[in-house]
Amino acid sequence: VMPAIVYGIVATDSQVDLSGASGFAFSRVQFDCYGNTRREANTVATAVVDCLHGFTGELSPDCRVSDCTLDNKYDRKDPPIEGGGKFRYRRVVDFQVSHTEPIPSLSIT
């Protein structure tokens, strides 16, 4: 059902210091915003950017976002799915997210 959003974490770079894991990381998060028209896909992408660009705050007890910045955006046009004659329009928006992460315990039980 259109419009739609698919998102995922493309990469995470966990930071370390001289004592090991620092509990801080940078992640690249990608949102694929789909629509039946270019305008519909772009409207969905604009809503995502409006919500996330500049976001700071707690996502969970283990994850606090200190910075969320729009890094990249580009357009795609997906060919029709078999049996269908309609193209799907997509705008991809990527964010760089600076956040905390749990420090792994090295104890073995």
Side-chain angles (χ1 to χ4, degrees), residues 19-91:
S19 61
S22 70
F24 192 73
F26 298 99
S27 293
R28 180 180 210 73
V29 183
Q30 184 176 76
F31 292 82
D32 291 5
C33 304
Y34 291 93
N36 289 315
T37 64
R38 171 63 53 217
R39 176 175 283 180
E40 191 174 67
N42 290 351
T43 299
V44 173
T46 297
V48 170
V49 171
D50 288 349
C51 287
L52 295 178
H53 185 57
F55 173 80
T56 61
E58 188 173 302
L59 294 180
S60 72
D62 292 332
C63 183
R64 175 159 180 73
V65 174
S66 59
D67 185 42
C68 183
T69 305
L70 178 64
D71 187 51
N72 190 26
K73 58 185 173 183
Y74 55 93
D75 294 326
R76 294 281 188 250
K77 185 176 176 182
D78 296 343
I81 299 172
E82 259 185 62
K86 295 172 94 176
F87 282 88
R88 291 188 311 175
Y89 294 86
R90 177 169 39 136
R91 172 159 276 192

Side-chain angles (χ1 to χ4, degrees), residues 12-16 21-27 60-65 98-104:
T12 298
D13 182 15
S14 298
Q15 302 297 294
V16 295
S22 70
F24 192 73
F26 298 99
S27 293
S60 72
D62 292 332
C63 183
R64 175 159 180 73
V65 174
S98 306
H99 60 91
T100 59
E101 67 179 0
I103 296 174

